[in-house]
Coordinates of all heavy atoms in Angstrom, one line a residue:
M1 N -9.9 -41.5 -6.8 CA -9.0 -41.0 -5.9 C -8.8 -39.5 -6.0 O -8.8 -38.8 -5.0 CB -7.6 -41.7 -6.0 CG -6.6 -41.5 -5.0 SD -7.3 -41.9 -3.3 CE -6.0 -41.2 -2.2
K2 N -8.9 -39.0 -7.2 CA -8.8 -37.5 -7.4 C -9.9 -36.8 -6.8 O -9.8 -35.9 -6.1 CB -8.7 -37.4 -9.0 CG -8.1 -35.9 -9.3 CD -7.9 -35.7 -10.7 CE -7.4 -34.3 -11.1 NZ -7.4 -34.2 -12.5
N3 N -11.1 -37.3 -7.0 CA -12.4 -36.8 -6.6 C -12.3 -36.7 -4.9 O -12.8 -35.7 -4.4 CB -13.7 -37.5 -6.9 CG -14.0 -37.2 -8.4 OD1 -13.6 -36.2 -8.9 ND2 -14.8 -38.1 -9.0
F4 N -11.8 -37.7 -4.4 CA -11.8 -37.8 -2.9 C -11.0 -36.7 -2.4 O -11.4 -36.0 -1.4 CB -11.2 -39.1 -2.5 CG -10.9 -39.3 -1.0 CD1 -12.1 -39.6 -0.3 CD2 -9.8 -39.2 -0.4 CE1 -11.9 -39.7 1.2 CE2 -9.6 -39.4 1.0 CZ -10.7 -39.6 1.7
I5 N -9.9 -36.4 -3.0 CA -9.0 -35.3 -2.5 C -9.7 -34.0 -2.6 O -9.6 -33.1 -1.7 CB -7.6 -35.3 -3.3 CG1 -6.8 -36.6 -2.9 CG2 -6.9 -34.0 -3.1 CD1 -5.7 -37.0 -3.8
V6 N -10.4 -33.7 -3.7 CA -11.1 -32.4 -3.9 C -12.1 -32.2 -2.8 O -12.2 -31.2 -2.3 CB -11.7 -32.4 -5.3 CG1 -12.6 -31.2 -5.5 CG2 -10.7 -32.4 -6.5
V7 N -12.9 -33.3 -2.5 CA -13.9 -33.1 -1.4 C -13.3 -32.7 -0.1 O -13.7 -31.9 0.5 CB -14.8 -34.5 -1.4 CG1 -15.6 -34.4 -0.1 CG2 -15.5 -34.6 -2.7
C8 N -12.2 -33.4 0.3 CA -11.6 -33.2 1.5 C -11.1 -31.7 1.6 O -11.2 -31.1 2.6 CB -10.3 -34.1 1.7 SG -10.8 -35.7 2.1
C9 N -10.5 -31.2 0.5 CA -10.1 -29.8 0.5 C -11.3 -28.9 0.8 O -11.1 -27.9 1.5 CB -9.5 -29.5 -0.8 SG -7.8 -30.2 -1.0
C10 N -12.3 -29.1 0.1 CA -13.6 -28.2 0.3 C -14.1 -28.3 1.7 O -14.5 -27.2 2.3 CB -14.7 -28.7 -0.7 SG -14.3 -28.4 -2.4
L11 N -14.1 -29.4 2.3 CA -14.6 -29.5 3.7 C -13.6 -28.7 4.7 O -14.1 -28.0 5.5 CB -14.5 -31.0 4.1 CG -15.7 -31.9 3.7 CD1 -15.5 -33.3 4.0 CD2 -17.0 -31.3 4.2
A12 N -12.3 -28.9 4.4 CA -11.4 -28.1 5.3 C -11.6 -26.7 5.2 O -11.6 -25.8 6.1 CB -10.0 -28.6 4.9
F13 N -11.8 -26.2 3.9 CA -12.0 -24.8 3.7 C -13.2 -24.2 4.3 O -13.3 -23.2 5.0 CB -12.0 -24.5 2.2 CG -12.1 -23.1 1.8 CD1 -11.1 -22.2 2.0 CD2 -13.3 -22.6 1.4 CE1 -11.2 -20.8 1.7 CE2 -13.5 -21.2 1.1 CZ -12.5 -20.4 1.2
S14 N -14.3 -25.0 4.1 CA -15.6 -24.5 4.7 C -15.6 -24.5 6.3 O -16.1 -23.6 6.8 CB -16.8 -25.4 4.2 OG -16.6 -26.6 4.7
T15 N -14.9 -25.3 6.8 CA -14.8 -25.4 8.4 C -14.0 -24.0 8.7 O -14.5 -23.3 9.7 CB -14.0 -26.5 8.8 OG1 -14.6 -27.6 8.4 CG2 -13.9 -26.6 10.3
M16 N -13.0 -23.7 8.0 CA -12.2 -22.5 8.4 C -13.1 -21.3 8.2 O -13.0 -20.3 8.9 CB -10.9 -22.4 7.6 CG -9.8 -23.3 8.1 SD -8.4 -23.4 6.9 CE -8.0 -21.8 6.6
A17 N -13.8 -21.2 7.0 CA -14.6 -20.0 6.7 C -15.7 -19.8 7.6 O -16.0 -18.6 7.9 CB -15.1 -20.3 5.3
N18 N -16.2 -20.8 8.3 CA -17.3 -20.7 9.3 C -16.8 -20.1 10.6 O -17.6 -19.7 11.4 CB -18.0 -22.0 9.5 CG -18.9 -22.4 8.4 OD1 -19.2 -21.6 7.5 ND2 -19.2 -23.7 8.1
A19 N -15.5 -20.2 10.9 CA -15.0 -19.7 12.2 C -15.2 -18.2 12.3 O -14.7 -17.5 11.4 CB -13.6 -20.2 12.5
A20 N -15.9 -17.7 13.3 CA -16.0 -16.3 13.5 C -15.1 -15.6 14.4 O -14.5 -16.4 15.3 CB -17.5 -16.0 13.9
E21 N -15.0 -14.4 14.4 CA -14.0 -13.7 15.2 C -14.8 -12.6 15.9 O -15.5 -11.8 15.3 CB -12.9 -13.1 14.4 CG -11.5 -13.3 15.3 CD -10.4 -12.9 14.3 OE1 -10.1 -13.7 13.5 OE2 -9.7 -11.8 14.6
F22 N -14.7 -12.5 17.3 CA -15.4 -11.4 18.0 C -14.3 -10.6 18.8 O -13.2 -11.1 19.1 CB -16.2 -12.1 19.1 CG -17.3 -13.0 18.4 CD1 -17.1 -14.4 18.2 CD2 -18.5 -12.5 18.0 CE1 -18.0 -15.2 17.6 CE2 -19.4 -13.2 17.5 CZ -19.2 -14.6 17.2
T23 N -14.6 -9.4 19.2 CA -13.8 -8.6 20.1 C -14.6 -8.1 21.3 O -15.8 -7.7 21.2 CB -13.3 -7.3 19.3 OG1 -12.5 -7.8 18.2 CG2 -12.5 -6.5 20.2
V24 N -14.1 -8.3 22.5 CA -14.6 -7.9 23.7 C -13.7 -6.9 24.3 O -12.4 -7.2 24.4 CB -14.8 -9.1 24.7 CG1 -15.4 -8.5 26.0 CG2 -15.9 -10.0 24.1
D25 N -14.1 -5.7 24.6 CA -13.2 -4.7 25.3 C -13.3 -4.8 26.8 O -14.4 -5.2 27.3 CB -13.7 -3.2 24.7 CG -13.2 -2.9 23.4 OD1 -12.2 -3.3 23.0 OD2 -14.0 -2.3 22.7
Q26 N -12.2 -4.3 27.3 CA -12.3 -4.1 28.8 C -12.2 -2.6 29.0 O -11.2 -1.9 28.6 CB -11.0 -4.8 29.4 CG -11.0 -6.3 29.3 CD -9.7 -6.8 29.6 OE1 -8.7 -6.7 28.8 NE2 -9.5 -7.5 30.7
K27 N -13.4 -2.1 29.5 CA -13.6 -0.7 29.6 C -14.2 -0.3 30.9 O -15.2 -1.0 31.2 CB -14.5 -0.2 28.3 CG -14.7 1.2 28.4 CD -13.9 2.0 27.3 CE -14.2 3.5 27.3 NZ -13.0 4.3 27.5
D28 N -13.7 0.6 31.6 CA -14.2 1.1 32.9 C -14.3 -0.1 33.9 O -15.3 -0.3 34.6 CB -15.6 1.7 32.8 CG -15.7 2.9 31.9 OD1 -14.5 3.7 31.9 OD2 -16.5 3.2 31.2
K29 N -13.2 -0.9 33.9 CA -13.2 -2.2 34.7 C -14.3 -3.1 34.6 O -14.8 -3.8 35.5 CB -13.2 -1.7 36.3 CG -11.8 -1.0 36.6 CD -11.7 -0.9 38.1 CE -10.6 0.0 38.5 NZ -10.5 0.2 40.0
K30 N -14.8 -3.2 33.2 CA -15.8 -4.2 32.9 C -15.5 -4.6 31.5 O -15.0 -4.0 30.7 CB -17.2 -3.5 32.9 CG -17.8 -3.3 34.2 CD -19.2 -2.6 34.0 CE -19.8 -2.0 35.3 NZ -20.7 -0.9 35.2
F31 N -16.0 -5.9 31.4 CA -16.0 -6.4 30.0 C -17.2 -5.8 29.4 O -18.3 -5.7 30.0 CB -16.1 -7.9 29.9 CG -14.9 -8.7 30.5 CD1 -14.9 -9.3 31.7 CD2 -13.9 -8.8 29.7 CE1 -13.7 -10.0 32.2 CE2 -12.7 -9.5 30.1 CZ -12.6 -10.1 31.4
T32 N -17.1 -5.5 28.0 CA -18.3 -4.8 27.4 C -19.4 -5.8 27.1 O -20.4 -5.3 26.7 CB -17.8 -4.1 26.1 OG1 -17.1 -5.1 25.3 CG2 -16.9 -2.9 26.3
E33 N -19.1 -7.0 27.3 CA -20.3 -8.1 27.1 C -20.2 -8.8 28.5 O -19.2 -9.0 29.1 CB -19.9 -9.1 26.1 CG -19.7 -8.6 24.8 CD -20.9 -8.4 23.9 OE1 -22.0 -8.7 24.4 OE2 -20.8 -7.7 22.8
S34 N -21.5 -9.2 29.0 CA -21.5 -10.0 30.3 C -21.7 -11.4 29.9 O -21.2 -12.3 30.7 CB -22.6 -9.4 31.2 OG -23.9 -9.5 30.5
E35 N -22.3 -11.7 28.7 CA -22.5 -13.2 28.3 C -22.4 -13.1 26.8 O -23.1 -12.3 26.2 CB -23.8 -13.7 28.9 CG -24.0 -15.1 28.6 CD -25.0 -15.8 29.5 OE1 -25.6 -15.2 30.3 OE2 -25.1 -17.0 29.4
M36 N -21.9 -14.2 26.2 CA -21.9 -14.2 24.8 C -22.0 -15.7 24.4 O -21.5 -16.6 25.1 CB -20.8 -13.4 24.1 CG -19.5 -13.9 24.6 SD -18.1 -12.7 24.2 CE -18.2 -12.8 22.4
N37 N -22.6 -15.9 23.2 CA -22.7 -17.3 22.7 C -21.9 -17.4 21.3 O -22.1 -16.5 20.5 CB -24.3 -17.6 22.4 CG -25.1 -17.6 23.6 OD1 -24.7 -18.1 24.5 ND2 -26.1 -16.7 23.5
I38 N -21.1 -18.2 21.3 CA -20.2 -18.5 20.2 C -20.2 -20.0 19.7 O -20.7 -20.8 20.5 CB -18.8 -17.9 20.3 CG1 -18.1 -18.7 21.5 CG2 -18.8 -16.5 20.8 CD1 -16.5 -18.5 21.4
A39 N -19.5 -20.3 18.6 CA -19.5 -21.7 18.2 C -18.1 -22.2 18.4 O -17.1 -21.4 18.5 CB -19.9 -21.7 16.7
V40 N -18.0 -23.5 18.4 CA -16.7 -24.2 18.7 C -15.8 -23.8 17.4 O -16.3 -23.7 16.2 CB -16.8 -25.8 18.6 CG1 -15.5 -26.4 18.4 CG2 -17.6 -26.2 19.8
G41 N -14.7 -23.3 17.7 CA -13.8 -22.8 16.6 C -13.6 -21.3 16.5 O -12.7 -20.8 15.8
D42 N -14.5 -20.6 17.2 CA -14.5 -19.2 17.0 C -13.4 -18.6 17.9 O -13.0 -19.2 18.9 CB -15.8 -18.6 17.6 CG -16.9 -18.8 16.5 OD1 -16.7 -19.3 15.4 OD2 -18.1 -18.5 16.9
T43 N -12.9 -17.4 17.6 CA -11.9 -16.7 18.3 C -12.5 -15.5 19.0 O -13.3 -14.7 18.3 CB -10.8 -16.4 17.4 OG1 -10.1 -17.6 16.9 CG2 -9.7 -15.5 18.1
V44 N -12.1 -15.1 20.2 CA -12.5 -13.9 20.8 C -11.2 -13.1 21.1 O -10.2 -13.6 21.7 CB -13.2 -14.1 22.1 CG1 -13.5 -12.8 22.8 CG2 -14.6 -14.9 21.9
N45 N -11.1 -11.9 20.6 CA -10.1 -10.9 20.8 C -10.4 -10.1 22.1 O -11.3 -9.5 22.1 CB -9.8 -10.0 19.7 CG -9.3 -10.8 18.5 OD1 -8.2 -11.3 18.6 ND2 -10.0 -10.8 17.4
F46 N -9.5 -10.2 23.1 CA -9.7 -9.4 24.4 C -9.0 -8.2 24.3 O -7.7 -8.3 24.3 CB -9.4 -10.3 25.5 CG -10.4 -11.6 25.7 CD1 -9.9 -12.7 25.3 CD2 -11.5 -11.3 26.3 CE1 -10.8 -13.9 25.4 CE2 -12.4 -12.5 26.6 CZ -12.0 -13.6 26.1
R47 N -9.6 -7.0 24.2 CA -8.9 -5.8 24.0 C -9.0 -4.9 25.3 O -10.0 -4.7 25.8 CB -9.5 -5.0 22.8 CG -8.7 -3.7 22.5 CD -9.1 -3.3 21.1 NE -10.5 -2.9 21.1 CZ -11.2 -2.7 20.0 NH1 -10.7 -2.8 18.9 NH2 -12.5 -2.3 20.1
N48 N -7.9 -4.4 25.7 CA -7.8 -3.6 26.8 C -8.0 -2.0 26.4 O -7.2 -1.6 25.6 CB -6.5 -3.6 27.6 CG -6.5 -2.8 28.9 OD1 -7.4 -2.0 29.2 ND2 -5.5 -2.9 29.7
D49 N -9.2 -1.4 26.8 CA -9.5 -0.1 26.5 C -9.5 0.8 27.6 O -10.1 1.9 27.7 CB -10.9 -0.1 25.7 CG -11.0 1.2 24.7 OD1 -9.9 1.7 24.4 OD2 -12.0 1.5 24.4
D50 N -8.8 0.4 28.7 CA -8.7 1.3 29.8 C -7.2 1.7 30.0 O -6.3 1.1 29.4 CB -9.0 0.4 31.2 CG -10.5 0.5 31.6 OD1 -11.1 1.6 31.3 OD2 -11.0 -0.5 32.1
P51 N -7.0 2.9 30.7 CA -5.7 3.4 30.8 C -4.8 2.8 31.8 O -3.9 3.4 32.3 CB -5.9 4.9 31.2 CG -7.2 4.9 31.8 CD -8.0 3.7 31.2
F52 N -5.2 1.5 32.2 CA -4.3 0.7 33.0 C -4.4 -0.8 32.7 O -5.2 -1.2 31.7 CB -4.7 0.9 34.5 CG -6.3 0.9 34.7 CD1 -6.9 -0.3 34.7 CD2 -7.0 2.1 34.7 CE1 -8.3 -0.3 34.9 CE2 -8.3 2.1 34.9 CZ -9.1 0.9 34.9
S53 N -3.6 -1.6 33.3 CA -3.4 -2.9 32.8 C -4.7 -3.8 33.3 O -5.2 -3.6 34.4 CB -2.1 -3.6 33.4 OG -1.1 -3.1 32.6
H54 N -5.0 -4.7 32.5 CA -6.1 -5.8 32.8 C -5.3 -7.1 32.5 O -4.4 -7.2 31.8 CB -7.2 -5.7 32.0 CG -8.2 -4.6 32.4 ND1 -8.8 -4.6 33.7 CD2 -8.6 -3.5 31.8 CE1 -9.6 -3.5 33.7 NE2 -9.5 -2.9 32.6
N55 N -5.9 -8.2 33.2 CA -5.5 -9.5 32.9 C -6.7 -10.2 32.3 O -7.8 -9.8 32.5 CB -5.0 -10.2 34.2 CG -5.1 -11.7 34.1 OD1 -6.1 -12.3 34.4 ND2 -3.9 -12.3 33.9
V56 N -6.5 -11.3 31.6 CA -7.6 -12.2 31.2 C -7.3 -13.5 31.4 O -6.2 -14.0 31.0 CB -8.0 -12.0 29.7 CG1 -9.2 -12.7 29.3 CG2 -8.2 -10.4 29.4
Y57 N -8.2 -14.3 32.1 CA -7.9 -15.7 32.4 C -9.2 -16.5 32.6 O -10.2 -15.9 32.8 CB -7.1 -15.8 33.6 CG -7.8 -15.7 35.0 CD1 -8.2 -16.9 35.7 CD2 -8.3 -14.5 35.5 CE1 -9.0 -16.8 36.8 CE2 -9.0 -14.3 36.6 CZ -9.3 -15.5 37.3 OH -10.1 -15.5 38.4
S58 N -9.1 -17.8 32.5 CA -10.3 -18.6 32.8 C -9.7 -20.0 33.4 O -8.6 -20.5 32.9 CB -11.1 -18.9 31.6 OG -12.0 -19.9 32.0
L59 N -10.4 -20.5 34.4 CA -10.0 -21.8 35.0 C -11.0 -22.8 34.6 O -11.0 -24.0 35.1 CB -10.0 -21.7 36.5 CG -8.9 -20.6 37.1 CD1 -9.1 -20.6 38.6 CD2 -7.5 -21.1 36.7
S60 N -12.0 -22.5 33.6 CA -13.0 -23.4 33.3 C -12.5 -24.6 32.5 O -11.5 -24.5 31.8 CB -14.1 -22.7 32.4 OG -14.7 -21.7 33.1
E61 N -13.3 -25.7 32.7 CA -12.8 -27.1 32.2 C -12.7 -27.0 30.6 O -11.7 -27.5 30.0 CB -13.7 -28.1 32.6 CG -13.1 -29.5 32.8 CD -14.1 -30.4 33.3 OE1 -14.7 -30.3 34.3 OE2 -14.3 -31.5 32.5
A62 N -13.7 -26.4 30.0 CA -13.7 -26.3 28.5 C -12.6 -25.5 27.9 O -12.2 -25.8 26.7 CB -15.1 -25.9 28.0
K63 N -12.1 -24.6 28.7 CA -11.0 -23.7 28.1 C -10.3 -23.0 29.3 O -10.8 -22.1 29.9 CB -11.5 -22.7 27.0 CG -10.4 -22.0 26.4 CD -9.7 -22.8 25.3 CE -8.6 -22.0 24.7 NZ -7.8 -22.9 23.7
S64 N -9.1 -23.5 29.6 CA -8.4 -22.8 30.7 C -7.3 -22.0 30.1 O -6.5 -22.6 29.2 CB -8.0 -23.8 31.8 OG -6.7 -23.9 32.0
F65 N -7.1 -20.8 30.4 CA -6.0 -20.0 29.9 C -5.6 -18.8 30.7 O -6.5 -18.4 31.6 CB -6.4 -19.5 28.4 CG -7.7 -18.6 28.4 CD1 -7.5 -17.2 28.5 CD2 -8.9 -19.1 28.3 CE1 -8.6 -16.4 28.6 CE2 -10.1 -18.3 28.3 CZ -9.9 -16.9 28.5
D66 N -4.5 -18.3 30.4 CA -4.2 -17.0 31.2 C -3.4 -16.1 30.2 O -2.3 -16.5 29.8 CB -3.3 -17.4 32.4 CG -3.0 -16.2 33.3 OD1 -3.3 -15.0 32.7 OD2 -2.5 -16.3 34.4
L67 N -3.9 -15.0 29.8 CA -3.3 -14.1 28.9 C -2.4 -13.2 29.4 O -1.7 -12.4 28.8 CB -4.4 -13.4 28.0 CG -5.5 -14.1 27.2 CD1 -6.3 -13.3 26.5 CD2 -4.7 -15.2 26.4
G68 N -2.1 -13.2 30.8 CA -1.3 -12.3 31.5 C -1.9 -10.9 31.5 O -3.1 -10.7 31.2
S69 N -1.1 -9.9 32.0 CA -1.5 -8.5 32.1 C -1.1 -7.8 30.9 O 0.1 -8.0 30.5 CB -0.9 -8.0 33.4 OG -1.4 -8.7 34.5
Y70 N -1.9 -6.9 30.4 CA -1.4 -6.1 29.3 C -2.1 -4.7 29.3 O -3.2 -4.5 29.8 CB -1.5 -6.8 28.0 CG -2.8 -7.5 27.6 CD1 -3.7 -6.8 26.9 CD2 -3.1 -8.7 28.1 CE1 -5.0 -7.3 26.4 CE2 -4.3 -9.3 27.8 CZ -5.2 -8.6 27.0 OH -6.4 -9.3 26.6
P71 N -1.4 -3.7 28.7 CA -1.9 -2.3 28.8 C -2.9 -1.9 27.7 O -3.2 -2.7 26.8 CB -0.5 -1.5 28.5 CG 0.2 -2.4 27.6 CD -0.2 -3.8 28.1
K72 N -3.4 -0.6 27.9 CA -4.4 -0.1 26.9 C -3.9 -0.2 25.5 O -2.8 0.0 25.1 CB -4.5 1.4 27.2 CG -5.5 2.1 26.3 CD -5.5 3.6 26.8 CE -6.5 4.4 25.7 NZ -7.9 4.2 26.0
G73 N -4.9 -0.6 24.7 CA -4.6 -0.7 23.2 C -4.2 -2.0 22.7 O -4.3 -2.3 21.6
E74 N -3.8 -2.9 23.7 CA -3.4 -4.2 23.3 C -4.4 -5.2 23.3 O -5.4 -5.1 24.0 CB -2.3 -4.7 24.2 CG -1.3 -5.7 23.6 CD -0.1 -5.9 24.5 OE1 0.7 -5.0 24.8 OE2 0.1 -7.1 24.9
S75 N -4.4 -6.2 22.4 CA -5.5 -7.1 22.2 C -4.8 -8.5 22.1 O -3.8 -8.6 21.5 CB -6.3 -6.9 20.9 OG -7.2 -7.8 20.7
R76 N -5.4 -9.5 22.8 CA -4.9 -10.9 22.6 C -6.0 -11.8 22.4 O -7.1 -11.7 23.0 CB -4.1 -11.2 24.0 CG -3.0 -10.4 24.2 CD -2.1 -10.8 25.4 NE -1.0 -9.9 25.5 CZ -0.1 -9.9 26.5 NH1 -0.2 -10.8 27.4 NH2 0.8 -9.0 26.6
P77 N -5.8 -12.8 21.5 CA -6.8 -13.6 21.1 C -6.9 -15.0 21.7 O -5.9 -15.5 22.2 CB -6.5 -13.9 19.6 CG -5.1 -13.9 19.5 CD -4.6 -12.9 20.7
V78 N -8.2 -15.5 21.9 CA -8.3 -16.9 22.3 C -9.2 -17.6 21.5 O -10.3 -17.2 21.1 CB -8.8 -17.0 23.8 CG1 -9.1 -18.3 24.2 CG2 -7.9 -16.3 24.8
T79 N -8.9 -18.8 20.9 CA -9.7 -19.6 20.1 C -10.3 -20.8 21.1 O -9.6 -21.4 21.7 CB -9.0 -20.3 18.9 OG1 -8.4 -19.2 18.2 CG2 -9.8 -21.2 18.0
F80 N -11.6 -20.9 21.0 CA -12.4 -21.7 21.8 C -12.6 -23.0 21.1 O -13.5 -23.0 20.0 CB -13.7 -21.1 22.4 CG -13.3 -20.0 23.3 CD1 -13.1 -18.7 22.8 CD2 -13.1 -20.2 24.6 CE1 -12.8 -17.6 23.7 CE2 -12.8 -19.2 25.5 CZ -12.6 -17.9 25.0
D81 N -11.9 -24.1 21.3 CA -11.9 -25.3 20.6 C -12.8 -26.5 21.1 O -12.8 -27.6 20.6 CB -10.6 -25.8 20.2 CG -9.6 -25.6 21.5 OD1 -10.1 -25.7 22.6 OD2 -8.4 -25.4 21.2
Q82 N -13.5 -26.1 22.2 CA -14.3 -27.2 22.9 C -15.6 -26.5 23.4 O -15.6 -25.4 23.9 CB -13.5 -27.7 24.1 CG -13.8 -29.1 24.5 CD -13.0 -29.6 25.7 OE1 -11.7 -29.5 25.6 NE2 -13.5 -30.1 26.6
A83 N -16.7 -27.3 23.3 CA -18.1 -26.8 23.8 C -18.0 -26.8 25.3 O -17.4 -27.5 26.0 CB -19.1 -27.6 23.2
G84 N -18.8 -25.8 25.8 CA -18.9 -25.7 27.2 C -19.2 -24.2 27.7 O -19.2 -23.4 26.9
Q85 N -19.3 -24.1 29.0 CA -19.5 -22.7 29.5 C -18.2 -22.2 30.1 O -17.6 -22.9 31.0 CB -20.6 -22.7 30.6 CG -20.9 -21.2 31.0 CD -22.1 -21.2 32.0 OE1 -22.0 -21.6 33.1 NE2 -23.2 -20.7 31.5
I86 N -17.7 -21.2 29.7 CA -16.4 -20.6 30.2 C -16.6 -19.2 31.0 O -17.2 -18.5 30.4 CB -15.4 -20.4 29.0 CG1 -15.1 -21.8 28.4 CG2 -14.2 -19.7 29.3 CD1 -15.4 -22.1 27.1
E87 N -16.0 -19.3 32.1 CA -16.1 -18.1 33.0 C -14.8 -17.4 32.8 O -13.7 -18.0 33.2 CB -16.3 -18.5 34.4 CG -17.8 -19.0 34.7 CD -18.0 -19.6 36.1 OE1 -17.2 -19.0 37.0 OE2 -18.7 -20.5 36.3
V88 N -14.8 -16.2 32.3 CA -13.6 -15.4 32.1 C -13.6 -14.3 33.2 O -14.6 -13.7 33.4 CB -13.6 -14.8 30.7 CG1 -12.4 -14.0 30.4 CG2 -13.8 -15.8 29.6
G89 N -12.3 -14.1 33.7 CA -12.2 -13.0 34.7 C -10.9 -12.3 34.5 O -10.1 -12.5 33.5
C90 N -10.6 -11.3 35.4 CA -9.4 -10.5 35.4 C -8.8 -10.7 36.8 O -9.5 -10.5 37.8 CB -9.8 -9.0 35.1 SG -8.4 -7.9 35.5
A91 N -7.6 -11.1 36.9 CA -6.9 -11.5 38.2 C -6.6 -10.2 38.9 O -6.2 -10.2 40.0 CB -5.7 -12.2 37.8
I92 N -6.7 -9.0 38.2 CA -6.4 -7.7 38.9 C -7.7 -7.1 39.5 O -7.7 -6.6 40.6 CB -5.8 -6.7 37.9 CG1 -4.5 -7.3 37.3 CG2 -5.5 -5.4 38.6 CD1 -3.9 -6.6 36.2
H93 N -8.8 -7.2 38.7 CA -10.1 -6.7 39.2 C -11.0 -7.8 39.3 O -11.7 -8.4 38.4 CB -10.6 -5.7 38.2 CG -9.6 -4.6 37.9 ND1 -8.8 -4.6 36.7 CD2 -9.1 -3.5 38.7 CE1 -8.0 -3.5 36.7 NE2 -8.2 -2.9 37.9
F94 N -11.3 -8.4 40.5 CA -12.0 -9.5 40.8 C -13.4 -9.6 40.5 O -14.1 -10.6 40.2 CB -11.9 -10.0 42.2 CG -10.5 -10.3 42.6 CD1 -9.7 -9.6 43.5 CD2 -9.8 -11.5 42.0 CE1 -8.3 -10.0 43.9 CE2 -8.4 -11.7 42.3 CZ -7.7 -10.9 43.2
D95 N -14.1 -8.4 40.4 CA -15.5 -8.3 40.0 C -15.7 -8.3 38.5 O -16.8 -8.2 38.1 CB -16.2 -7.2 40.7 CG -15.5 -5.9 40.6 OD1 -14.3 -5.8 40.1 OD2 -16.1 -4.9 40.9
M96 N -14.7 -8.3 37.7 CA -14.9 -8.4 36.2 C -15.2 -9.9 35.9 O -14.6 -10.7 36.2 CB -13.6 -7.9 35.5 CG -13.3 -6.4 35.6 SD -11.8 -6.0 34.8 CE -12.3 -6.2 33.1
A97 N -16.3 -10.0 35.1 CA -16.7 -11.3 34.8 C -17.4 -11.4 33.4 O -18.1 -10.5 33.1 CB -17.7 -11.9 35.8
L98 N -17.2 -12.4 32.8 CA -17.8 -12.7 31.3 C -18.0 -14.2 31.2 O -17.2 -15.0 31.5 CB -16.8 -12.1 30.3 CG -17.0 -12.6 28.8 CD1 -18.4 -12.1 28.3 CD2 -15.9 -12.2 28.0
I99 N -19.2 -14.5 30.8 CA -19.6 -15.9 30.5 C -19.5 -16.1 29.0 O -20.2 -15.3 28.3 CB -21.0 -16.2 31.1 CG1 -21.1 -16.0 32.5 CG2 -21.3 -17.7 30.7 CD1 -20.4 -17.0 33.4
I100 N -18.8 -17.1 28.5 CA -18.9 -17.4 27.2 C -19.4 -18.9 27.0 O -18.9 -19.8 27.6 CB -17.5 -17.4 26.6 CG1 -16.8 -15.9 26.7 CG2 -17.5 -17.8 25.0 CD1 -15.5 -15.8 26.1
N101 N -20.6 -19.0 26.3 CA -21.1 -20.3 26.0 C -20.7 -20.7 24.6 O -21.0 -20.1 23.7 CB -22.6 -20.2 26.0 CG -23.2 -19.7 27.4 OD1 -22.9 -20.3 28.4 ND2 -23.9 -18.6 27.5
V102 N -19.9 -21.7 24.6 CA -19.4 -22.3 23.3 C -20.3 -23.5 22.9 O -20.4 -24.5 23.7 CB -17.9 -22.7 23.5 CG1 -17.3 -23.1 22.2 CG2 -17.1 -21.5 23.9
K103 N -20.9 -23.5 21.8 CA -21.8 -24.5 21.4 C -21.4 -25.1 20.0 O -20.7 -24.4 19.2 CB -23.2 -24.0 21.3 CG -23.8 -23.7 22.7 CD -25.1 -23.0 22.6 CE -25.5 -22.6 24.0 NZ -26.7 -21.7 24.1
Ligands
LIG1 CU1 -8.9 -5.9 35.1

């Protein structure tokens, strides 16, 4: 029973250690990446690097979210917990687009 508990703790720790964190800037009314590939459990920080507000949202089935609007210098994270293709946009600037492939 003691060994069983030790193994479980190691598994939980390695899963957390494998999760990666990325940052995508919003600069000149564009996402600094147009497409990115990440793994289930990874987090993307969306940072506004323009001198005006941006929004970040997605209506995709694998991850639907709305981070609201926020000003320059602010960053908000999203953890992607399900595999799929996620289309990310800005509700203020309709031609801003980013595809995230979660595998
Ligand atoms: Cu925008």
Side-chain angles (χ1 to χ4, degrees):
M1 191 59 189
K2 199 177 178 188
N3 284 341
F4 179 72
I5 290 166
V6 169
V7 169
C8 285
C9 289
C10 291
L11 283 176
F13 181 74
S14 64
T15 303
M16 279 167 59
N18 286 339
E21 216 168 291
F22 301 90
T23 296
V24 174
D25 283 323
Q26 295 164 292
K27 178 102 179 128
D28 300 327
K29 290 191 187 177
K30 282 179 188 155
F31 290 105
T32 49
E33 306 275 352
S34 56
E35 185 161 4
M36 56 197 294
N37 298 309
I38 65 171
V40 172
D42 288 353
T43 296
V44 178
N45 292 295
F46 295 96
R47 185 169 61 199
N48 184 352
D49 203 19
D50 268 328
F52 42 81
S53 286
H54 283 295
N55 161 275
V56 185
Y57 79 101
S58 175
L59 300 174
S60 297
E61 206 176 303
K63 186 75 182 179
S64 121
F65 61 89
D66 187 348
L67 300 183
S69 301
Y70 50 97
K72 181 181 173 82
E74 205 168 303
S75 173
R76 294 186 184 174
V78 177
T79 299
F80 294 88
D81 37 29
Q82 204 180 313
Q85 188 177 70
I86 291 121
E87 294 173 27
V88 181
C90 167
I92 301 169
H93 309 104
F94 293 116
D95 52 352
M96 289 180 66
L98 161 66
I99 302 284
I100 301 179
N101 300 301
V102 185
K103 289 171 186 170

